[in-house]
């Protein structure tokens, strides 16, 4: 009975919120008119709200900024095509990138967009030390109204990936308040942002590309439970949902399942605990996970298909790397589940269950360690518990513990972490595995991984002047037949699953061909928003 009362209370609050969302502006949408769809509007419920709409700080990084234009954009197959740019070329030493841009683009205040705005955007982002990594860029300079020259301090093959998600801001109106009421030149214009509630956008009628067919967009920020209730009430057109909720049939909606490289897996400290500390003063190393045979036994012995099927209702795929499905992924990293081989790995390296308690040990050390995950994340909890059960069959005991991100940031150097990555930029691989990033506070390489051969491949990939040459070396860094970052090699990660991104979508709404989604199920959904349409 108490549960029922709690549900009614939450639903009442939800209805009040939705009344606010759909009634506070003439631009917002009532989903239906009788039995007819309002073809000019869409209401989207997602769980993650941006902190700013300023590309010089973080907006759009890794996805599409919507309100602003970019120099280039991703195609469906993760290749690139021009957006603002009409052409570009790279100098022989890879240090100078020159772009020419369109001359027919204006911001929504009527002012023309020129190369000076492009230079201002990148220089401002670099100066502000935003989430956009521009450490490799020295200067962006407009040499004419339609020509922009970037000078790099080192060849950087991933620069194109960076600019594909960097929206251009107007130099003439940019200030400290830009992120709350932005002006851009993209397919959508900013209308209103009620923080904690909703963001409203409108199709840019003067957009130089194809003007979106859906005129009014309202993005409401809700937990997955609240979005589920809103969907059942028919108050939203698209709603992000979870694997635990997506089994329900809701009249008038279909479930859209989008594959992703939004992965989950264990980071495993690769060095022993010798009483040392990181620069920030945190202990690092683990005497169990530092043994490669332990890490590889888990990699081969855990049944990823079973975890996806049982723990996640089938809404996941096996994961084998940080970039499954991307052009720079090495297909040789895929391994088959082989519990017999996993047990043999342990036995051949001296790990035996000498006291018959089900856990193998070596020289008095039990094959036991703690894996932490952010408390409240039911998906990570389910994956961690399922993987722990699989590991127990091998004689390895994984103690699963939910805790805060603050605690994780201190313990991730000595405990395993159920971590998640997945990016449309191969620079993620460099960050995850290069020696210069080991044991820093940024979550990329807390396990302390270092391999000089891998460093060489990663450095060569970054310095390559063509995507093809870069891809060749990204792949070798994973596995060159002898060594690499993959589970066949040094195995600093045990990759488990790539989660499906799940959305309830109102019947009659086409959300287009979704690209392979990166980490985070909210913003990747919107990257092709300009292509959405209602059936006539």
């Amino acid at each position: 009975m108490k549960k029922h009362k709690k549900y009614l209370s939450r639903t009442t609050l939800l209805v009040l919120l939705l009344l606010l969302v759909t009634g506070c502006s003439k631009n917002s949408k009532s989903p239906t008119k009788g039995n007819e769809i309002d073809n000019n509007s869409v209401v989207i419920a997602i769980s993650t709200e941006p902190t700013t709409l300023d590309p010089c700080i973080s907006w759009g990084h890794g996805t599409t900024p919507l309100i602003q234009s970019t120099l280039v954009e991703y195609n469906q197959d993760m290749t690139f095509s021009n957006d603002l740019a009409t052409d570009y070329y790279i100098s022989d030493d890879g240090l100078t990138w020159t772009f020419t841009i369109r001359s027919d683009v204006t911001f929504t205040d009527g002012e023309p967009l020129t190369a000076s705005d492009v230079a201002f955007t990148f220089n401002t982002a670099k100066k502000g030390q935003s989430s956009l990594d521009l450490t490799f860029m020295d200067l962006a300079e407009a040499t004419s109204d339609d020509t922009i020259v970037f000078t790099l301090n080192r060849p950087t093959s991933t620069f194109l990936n960076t600019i594909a998600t960097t929206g251009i801001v107007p130099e003439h109106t940019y200030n400290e308040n830009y992120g709350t009421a932005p002006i851009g030149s993209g397919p959508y214009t900013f209308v209103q942002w009620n923080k904690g509630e909703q963001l409203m956008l409108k199709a840019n009628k003067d957009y130089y590309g194809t003007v979106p067919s859906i005129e009014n967009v309202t993005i409401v920020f809700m937990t997955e439970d609240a979005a589920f209730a809103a969907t059942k009430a028919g108050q939203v057109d698209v709603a992000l949902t979870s694997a635990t909720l997506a089994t329900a049939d809701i009249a008038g909606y279909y479930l859209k399942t989008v594959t992703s490289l939004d992965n989950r897996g264990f980071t495993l400290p690769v060095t022993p605990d010798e009483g040392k500390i990181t620069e920030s003063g945190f202990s690092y190393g683990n005497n169990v996970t530092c043994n490669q045979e332990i890490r590889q036994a888990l990699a081969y012995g855990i049944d990823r298909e079973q975890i996806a099927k049982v723990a996640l209702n089938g809404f996941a795929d096996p994961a084998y790397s940080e970039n499954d499905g991307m052009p720079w992924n090495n297909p040789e990293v895929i391994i088959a589940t082989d519990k017999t081989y996993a047990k043999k790995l342990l036995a051949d390296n001296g790990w035996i269950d000498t006291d018959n308690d089900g856990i193998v040990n070596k020289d008095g050390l039990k094959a036991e360690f703690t894996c932490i995950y952010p408390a409240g994340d039911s998906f990570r909890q389910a994956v961690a518990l399922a993987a722990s059960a699989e590991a127990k069959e091998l004689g390895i005991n994984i103690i699963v513990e939910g805790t805060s991100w603050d605690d994780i940031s201190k313990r991730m150097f000595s405990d395993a972490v159920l971590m998640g990555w997945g990016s449309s930029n191969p620079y993620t691989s460099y960050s995850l595995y290069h020696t210069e990033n080991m044991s820093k506070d940024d979550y990329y390489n807390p396990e302390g991984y270092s391999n000089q051969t891998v460093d060489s491949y990663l450095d060569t990939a970054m310095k390559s002047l063509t995507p093809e040459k870069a891809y060749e070396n990204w792949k070798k860094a994973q596995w060159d037949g002898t060594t690499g970052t993959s589970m066949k090699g040094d195995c600093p990660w045990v990759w488990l699953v790539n989660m499906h991104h799940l959305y309830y979508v109102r019947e009659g709404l086409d959300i287009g061909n979704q690209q392979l989604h990166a980490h985070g199920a909210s913003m990747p959904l919107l990257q092709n928003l300009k292509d959405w349409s209602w059936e006539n």
Side-chain angles (χ1 to χ4, degrees):
M1 188 64 179
K2 287 182 179 179
K3 274 189 176 180
H4 186 57
K5 286 183 177 179
K6 182 177 181 182
Y7 175 77
L8 288 176
S9 174
R10 183 173 62 190
T11 302
T12 301
L13 291 172
L14 172 64
V15 171
L16 290 173
L17 171 61
L18 288 167
L19 286 173
L20 172 66
V21 168
T22 60
C24 70
S25 169
K26 65 181 180 181
N27 292 316
S28 61
K29 167 185 186 297
S30 181
T32 61
K33 299 175 181 176
N35 292 322
E36 296 180 4
I37 295 295
D38 178 0
N39 289 336
N40 289 323
S41 304
V42 67
V43 177
I44 307 164
I46 59 177
S47 59
T48 304
E49 181 175 16
T51 56
T52 179
L53 302 177
D54 185 350
C56 295
I57 298 175
S58 67
W59 170 247
H61 298 178
T63 55
T64 300
L66 301 178
I67 299 167
Q68 296 88 4
S69 303
T70 55
L71 284 174
V72 299
E73 61 185 359
Y74 283 114
N75 297 317
Q76 184 71 22
D77 62 356
M78 303 311 295
T79 57
F80 301 97
S81 60
N82 291 330
D83 185 7
L84 287 175
T86 57
D87 199 6
Y88 71 94
Y89 66 89
I90 309 169
S91 62
D92 291 342
D93 61 5
L95 298 179
T96 304
W97 293 58
T98 302
F99 286 80
T100 54
I101 64 172
R102 303 171 63 122
S103 58
D104 60 345
V105 179
T106 60
F107 291 105
T108 52
D109 63 356
E111 291 295 315
L113 186 156
T114 69
S116 181
D117 297 297
V118 179
F120 174 82
T121 298
F122 281 86
N123 289 330
T124 300
K126 180 179 175 62
K127 182 178 179 181
Q129 297 183 339
S130 68
S131 64
L132 188 66
D133 186 354
L134 291 172
T135 54
F136 53 82
M137 187 191 86
D138 279 342
L139 180 67
E141 183 180 11
T143 57
S144 69
D145 282 349
D146 64 356
T147 305
I148 175 77
V149 178
F150 295 94
T151 302
L152 309 187
N153 51 50
R154 60 182 183 272
T156 306
S157 63
T158 59
F159 186 37
L160 214 55
N161 302 82
T162 298
I163 66 172
T165 59
T166 304
I168 305 306
V169 304
E171 182 179 9
H172 63 281
T173 60
Y174 183 85
N175 57 39
E176 65 275 9
N177 299 316
Y178 177 84
T180 59
I183 292 172
S185 59
Y188 291 94
T189 63
F190 173 83
V191 176
Q192 185 175 329
W193 183 12
N194 300 328
K195 291 192 175 182
E197 297 173 5
Q198 64 176 342
L199 171 64
M200 293 191 295
L201 308 175
K202 195 176 187 68
N204 181 1
K205 297 292 187 176
D206 297 319
Y207 182 53
Y208 51 89
T210 302
V211 176
S213 66
I214 298 177
E215 182 177 357
N216 302 307
V217 177
T218 301
I219 302 169
V220 293
F221 307 110
M222 297 179 173
T223 65
E224 289 172 356
D225 285 343
F228 184 72
T231 306
K232 291 176 69 176
Q235 296 289 344
V236 296
D237 298 308
V238 182
L240 170 65
T241 193
S242 65
T244 55
L245 297 172
T247 55
D249 291 326
I250 301 179
Y253 292 83
Y254 64 93
L255 183 70
K256 177 71 172 181
T257 301
V258 182
T259 56
S260 82
L261 68 157
D262 192 351
N263 45 55
R264 299 294 183 269
F266 294 131
T267 60
L268 298 168
V270 300
T271 59
D273 181 0
E274 298 175 332
K276 298 178 181 179
I277 60 175
T278 68
E279 290 183 359
S280 298
F282 304 124
S283 298
Y284 71 86
N286 185 295
N287 291 329
V288 175
T289 64
C290 70
N291 295 281
Q292 185 174 350
E293 64 272 13
I294 291 285
R295 304 194 301 271
Q296 286 192 326
L298 292 169
Y300 281 93
I302 290 177
D303 190 335
R304 294 163 180 79
E305 295 276 5
Q306 185 72 3
I307 291 176
K309 179 180 179 181
V310 175
L312 303 171
N313 293 324
F315 295 124
D317 298 309
Y320 303 100
S321 77
E322 73 279 10
N323 51 36
D324 292 340
M326 286 297 176
W328 52 89
N329 178 258
N330 188 339
E332 293 184 16
V333 302
I334 296 174
I335 59 176
T337 301
D338 191 337
K339 293 184 184 295
T340 300
Y341 175 66
K343 292 177 180 178
K344 185 176 186 300
L345 264 177
L346 294 172
D348 287 351
N349 285 277
W351 294 93
I352 308 294
D353 182 9
T354 58
D355 54 7
N356 296 314
D357 66 348
I359 307 302
V360 297
N361 58 81
K362 178 180 179 180
D363 300 329
L365 178 66
K366 281 190 175 297
E368 180 178 276
F369 61 90
T370 298
C371 175
I372 52 181
Y373 72 94
D377 189 326
S378 60
F379 189 98
R380 296 195 199 210
Q381 180 187 46
V383 172
L385 290 173
S388 175
E390 292 274 325
K392 188 67 70 70
E393 295 180 24
L394 307 175
I396 299 174
N397 186 34
I398 302 177
I399 303 164
V400 177
E401 177 188 343
T403 187
S404 66
W405 275 112
D406 182 64
D407 190 42
I408 291 172
S409 69
K410 300 171 184 175
R411 296 171 54 187
M412 63 185 178
F413 309 102
S414 55
D415 287 327
V417 181
L418 204 289
M419 198 78 83
W421 285 109
S423 169
S424 57
N425 191 333
Y427 186 68
T428 296
S429 297
Y430 185 94
S431 299
L432 286 173
Y433 300 120
H434 199 282
T435 298
E436 71 177 26
N437 298 318
M438 61 186 291
S439 302
K440 292 184 177 180
D441 295 342
D442 57 10
Y443 295 101
Y444 278 105
N445 188 354
E447 65 273 14
Y449 177 70
S450 177
N451 180 322
Q452 290 185 351
T453 300
V454 168
D455 285 351
S456 178
Y457 291 135
L458 295 174
D459 289 336
T460 301
M462 287 296 292
K463 294 175 183 177
S464 299
L465 300 184
T466 66
E468 293 74 20
K469 186 65 176 178
Y471 292 172
E472 175 187 333
N473 283 280
W474 293 124
K475 292 177 180 180
K476 286 182 179 179
Q478 291 182 281
W479 181 244
D480 66 0
T482 302
T483 190
T485 63
S486 71
M487 293 183 289
K488 283 183 176 181
D490 296 326
C491 194
W493 276 76
V494 171
W495 301 99
L496 297 172
V497 294
N498 290 314
M499 63 189 293
H500 290 170
H501 290 175
L502 306 167
Y503 311 92
Y504 280 109
V505 181
R506 191 183 294 279
E507 292 176 356
L509 177 61
D510 180 3
I511 64 171
N513 294 322
Q514 295 283 319
Q515 294 176 359
L516 187 66
H517 279 196
H519 186 56
S522 293
M523 290 307 298
L525 167 69
L526 304 176
Q527 60 193 356
N528 73 330
L529 182 59
K530 66 182 180 181
D531 300 325
W532 292 17
S533 63
W534 289 100
E535 295 177 1
N536 295 324

CSV table of all heavy atoms in Angstrom, one decimal, residues 69-95:
chain,number,residue,atom,x,y,z
A,69,SER,N,26.9,25.4,-36.0
A,69,SER,CA,27.4,24.6,-37.1
A,69,SER,C,28.8,24.1,-36.8
A,69,SER,O,29.5,24.7,-35.9
A,69,SER,CB,27.5,25.5,-38.4
A,69,SER,OG,26.2,26.0,-38.7
A,70,THR,N,29.3,23.1,-37.5
A,70,THR,CA,30.7,22.6,-37.4
A,70,THR,C,31.4,22.7,-38.7
A,70,THR,O,30.7,22.8,-39.8
A,70,THR,CB,30.7,21.2,-36.9
A,70,THR,OG1,29.9,20.4,-37.7
A,70,THR,CG2,30.1,21.1,-35.4
A,71,LEU,N,32.7,22.7,-38.7
A,71,LEU,CA,33.4,22.7,-40.0
A,71,LEU,C,33.1,21.5,-40.8
A,71,LEU,O,32.9,21.5,-42.0
A,71,LEU,CB,34.9,22.9,-39.7
A,71,LEU,CG,35.4,24.3,-39.3
A,71,LEU,CD1,36.9,24.2,-38.9
A,71,LEU,CD2,35.1,25.3,-40.4
A,72,VAL,N,33.2,20.3,-40.2
A,72,VAL,CA,32.9,19.1,-40.8
A,72,VAL,C,31.9,18.3,-40.0
A,72,VAL,O,31.8,18.6,-38.8
A,72,VAL,CB,34.2,18.2,-41.1
A,72,VAL,CG1,35.1,18.9,-42.0
A,72,VAL,CG2,34.8,17.8,-39.8
A,73,GLU,N,31.3,17.2,-40.5
A,73,GLU,CA,30.4,16.4,-39.7
A,73,GLU,C,30.6,15.0,-40.0
A,73,GLU,O,31.2,14.6,-41.1
A,73,GLU,CB,29.0,16.8,-40.0
A,73,GLU,CG,28.5,16.7,-41.4
A,73,GLU,CD,27.1,17.2,-41.6
A,73,GLU,OE1,26.5,17.7,-40.7
A,73,GLU,OE2,26.6,17.2,-42.8
A,74,TYR,N,30.2,14.1,-39.1
A,74,TYR,CA,30.3,12.7,-39.3
A,74,TYR,C,29.2,12.2,-40.3
A,74,TYR,O,28.0,12.6,-40.2
A,74,TYR,CB,30.1,11.9,-38.0
A,74,TYR,CG,31.3,11.9,-37.1
A,74,TYR,CD1,31.2,12.6,-35.9
A,74,TYR,CD2,32.5,11.3,-37.4
A,74,TYR,CE1,32.3,12.6,-35.0
A,74,TYR,CE2,33.5,11.3,-36.6
A,74,TYR,CZ,33.5,11.9,-35.4
A,74,TYR,OH,34.6,11.9,-34.5
A,75,ASN,N,29.6,11.2,-41.1
A,75,ASN,CA,28.6,10.5,-41.9
A,75,ASN,C,28.1,9.3,-41.1
A,75,ASN,O,28.7,9.0,-40.0
A,75,ASN,CB,29.2,10.0,-43.3
A,75,ASN,CG,29.6,11.2,-44.1
A,75,ASN,OD1,28.9,12.2,-44.3
A,75,ASN,ND2,30.8,11.1,-44.7
A,76,GLN,N,27.2,8.6,-41.7
A,76,GLN,CA,26.7,7.4,-41.0
A,76,GLN,C,27.7,6.4,-40.7
A,76,GLN,O,27.7,5.7,-39.6
A,76,GLN,CB,25.6,6.8,-41.9
A,76,GLN,CG,24.9,5.6,-41.2
A,76,GLN,CD,23.9,6.0,-40.1
A,76,GLN,OE1,23.5,7.1,-40.0
A,76,GLN,NE2,23.6,5.0,-39.2
A,77,ASP,N,28.7,6.2,-41.6
A,77,ASP,CA,29.8,5.2,-41.4
A,77,ASP,C,31.0,5.8,-40.7
A,77,ASP,O,32.1,5.2,-40.7
A,77,ASP,CB,30.2,4.7,-42.8
A,77,ASP,CG,30.8,5.7,-43.7
A,77,ASP,OD1,30.8,6.9,-43.3
A,77,ASP,OD2,31.2,5.4,-44.8
A,78,MET,N,30.9,6.9,-40.0
A,78,MET,CA,31.9,7.6,-39.3
A,78,MET,C,33.0,8.2,-40.1
A,78,MET,O,34.1,8.5,-39.6
A,78,MET,CB,32.5,6.6,-38.2
A,78,MET,CG,31.4,6.1,-37.2
A,78,MET,SD,30.3,7.4,-36.5
A,78,MET,CE,31.5,8.3,-35.6
A,79,THR,N,32.8,8.3,-41.4
A,79,THR,CA,33.7,9.1,-42.2
A,79,THR,C,33.2,10.5,-42.1
A,79,THR,O,32.3,10.8,-41.4
A,79,THR,CB,33.7,8.6,-43.7
A,79,THR,OG1,32.4,8.7,-44.2
A,79,THR,CG2,34.2,7.2,-43.8
A,80,PHE,N,33.9,11.5,-42.8
A,80,PHE,CA,33.6,12.9,-42.7
A,80,PHE,C,33.1,13.5,-44.0
A,80,PHE,O,33.5,13.1,-45.1
A,80,PHE,CB,34.8,13.6,-42.2
A,80,PHE,CG,35.4,13.2,-40.9
A,80,PHE,CD1,36.5,12.3,-40.9
A,80,PHE,CD2,34.9,13.6,-39.7
A,80,PHE,CE1,37.0,11.8,-39.7
A,80,PHE,CE2,35.4,13.2,-38.5
A,80,PHE,CZ,36.5,12.3,-38.5
A,81,SER,N,32.2,14.5,-43.8
A,81,SER,CA,31.8,15.3,-45.0
A,81,SER,C,31.9,16.8,-44.5
A,81,SER,O,31.8,17.1,-43.3
A,81,SER,CB,30.4,14.9,-45.5
A,81,SER,OG,29.5,15.1,-44.5
A,82,ASN,N,31.9,17.7,-45.5
A,82,ASN,CA,32.0,19.1,-45.2
A,82,ASN,C,30.7,19.6,-44.6
A,82,ASN,O,29.6,19.2,-45.1
A,82,ASN,CB,32.4,19.9,-46.4
A,82,ASN,CG,33.8,19.7,-46.8
A,82,ASN,OD1,34.6,19.4,-46.0
A,82,ASN,ND2,34.1,19.8,-48.1
A,83,ASP,N,30.7,20.5,-43.7
A,83,ASP,CA,29.5,21.2,-43.2
A,83,ASP,C,29.8,22.7,-43.5
A,83,ASP,O,29.4,23.2,-44.6
A,83,ASP,CB,29.3,21.0,-41.7
A,83,ASP,CG,28.0,21.7,-41.2
A,83,ASP,OD1,27.3,22.2,-42.0
A,83,ASP,OD2,27.8,21.7,-40.0
A,84,LEU,N,30.4,23.5,-42.7
A,84,LEU,CA,30.8,24.8,-43.0
A,84,LEU,C,31.9,24.8,-44.0
A,84,LEU,O,32.0,25.7,-44.9
A,84,LEU,CB,31.2,25.6,-41.8
A,84,LEU,CG,30.1,26.0,-40.8
A,84,LEU,CD1,30.8,26.7,-39.6
A,84,LEU,CD2,29.1,27.0,-41.4
A,85,ALA,N,32.8,23.9,-43.9
A,85,ALA,CA,34.0,23.8,-44.8
A,85,ALA,C,33.6,23.5,-46.2
A,85,ALA,O,32.6,22.7,-46.4
A,85,ALA,CB,35.0,22.8,-44.2
A,86,THR,N,34.3,24.0,-47.1
A,86,THR,CA,34.2,23.6,-48.5
A,86,THR,C,35.4,22.8,-49.0
A,86,THR,O,35.3,22.0,-49.9
A,86,THR,CB,34.0,24.9,-49.5
A,86,THR,OG1,35.2,25.7,-49.3
A,86,THR,CG2,32.8,25.7,-49.1
A,87,ASP,N,36.5,23.0,-48.3
A,87,ASP,CA,37.7,22.2,-48.6
A,87,ASP,C,38.7,22.4,-47.5
A,87,ASP,O,38.6,23.3,-46.7
A,87,ASP,CB,38.3,22.7,-49.9
A,87,ASP,CG,39.3,21.7,-50.5
A,87,ASP,OD1,39.3,20.5,-50.0
A,87,ASP,OD2,39.9,22.0,-51.5
A,88,TYR,N,39.7,21.5,-47.4
A,88,TYR,CA,40.8,21.7,-46.4
A,88,TYR,C,42.0,20.9,-46.9
A,88,TYR,O,41.8,19.9,-47.7
A,88,TYR,CB,40.4,21.2,-45.0
A,88,TYR,CG,40.2,19.8,-44.8
A,88,TYR,CD1,41.3,19.0,-44.3
A,88,TYR,CD2,39.0,19.1,-45.1
A,88,TYR,CE1,41.1,17.6,-44.2
A,88,TYR,CE2,38.8,17.8,-44.9
A,88,TYR,CZ,39.9,17.0,-44.4
A,88,TYR,OH,39.8,15.7,-44.2
A,89,TYR,N,43.1,21.3,-46.5
A,89,TYR,CA,44.3,20.5,-46.8
A,89,TYR,C,45.3,20.6,-45.6
A,89,TYR,O,45.3,21.5,-44.8
A,89,TYR,CB,45.0,21.0,-48.1
A,89,TYR,CG,45.6,22.4,-48.1
A,89,TYR,CD1,46.9,22.6,-47.7
A,89,TYR,CD2,44.8,23.5,-48.5
A,89,TYR,CE1,47.4,23.9,-47.6
A,89,TYR,CE2,45.3,24.8,-48.4
A,89,TYR,CZ,46.7,25.0,-48.0
A,89,TYR,OH,47.2,26.2,-48.0
A,90,ILE,N,46.2,19.6,-45.6
A,90,ILE,CA,47.2,19.5,-44.5
A,90,ILE,C,48.6,19.6,-45.0
A,90,ILE,O,48.9,19.0,-46.1
A,90,ILE,CB,47.0,18.1,-43.8
A,90,ILE,CG1,45.5,17.9,-43.4
A,90,ILE,CG2,47.9,18.0,-42.5
A,90,ILE,CD1,45.2,16.4,-43.0
A,91,SER,N,49.4,20.3,-44.3
A,91,SER,CA,50.8,20.5,-44.8
A,91,SER,C,51.5,19.1,-44.7
A,91,SER,O,51.1,18.2,-43.9
A,91,SER,CB,51.5,21.5,-43.9
A,91,SER,OG,51.6,21.1,-42.6
A,92,ASP,N,52.7,19.0,-45.4
A,92,ASP,CA,53.4,17.8,-45.4
A,92,ASP,C,53.9,17.3,-44.0
A,92,ASP,O,54.1,16.1,-43.8
A,92,ASP,CB,54.6,17.9,-46.3
A,92,ASP,CG,54.2,18.0,-47.8
A,92,ASP,OD1,53.0,17.6,-48.1
A,92,ASP,OD2,55.0,18.5,-48.6
A,93,ASP,N,54.2,18.3,-43.1
A,93,ASP,CA,54.6,17.9,-41.8
A,93,ASP,C,53.5,17.7,-40.8
A,93,ASP,O,53.7,17.4,-39.6
A,93,ASP,CB,55.6,19.0,-41.2
A,93,ASP,CG,55.0,20.4,-41.1
A,93,ASP,OD1,53.7,20.5,-41.4
A,93,ASP,OD2,55.7,21.3,-40.8
A,94,GLY,N,52.2,17.9,-41.3
A,94,GLY,CA,51.1,17.7,-40.4
A,94,GLY,C,50.8,18.8,-39.4
A,94,GLY,O,49.9,18.6,-38.6
A,95,LEU,N,51.5,19.9,-39.5
A,95,LEU,CA,51.4,20.9,-38.4
A,95,LEU,C,50.5,22.1,-38.8
A,95,LEU,O,50.1,22.9,-38.0
A,95,LEU,CB,52.8,21.5,-38.1
A,95,LEU,CG,53.7,20.4,-37.5
A,95,LEU,CD1,55.1,21.1,-37.2
A,95,LEU,CD2,53.2,19.8,-36.2
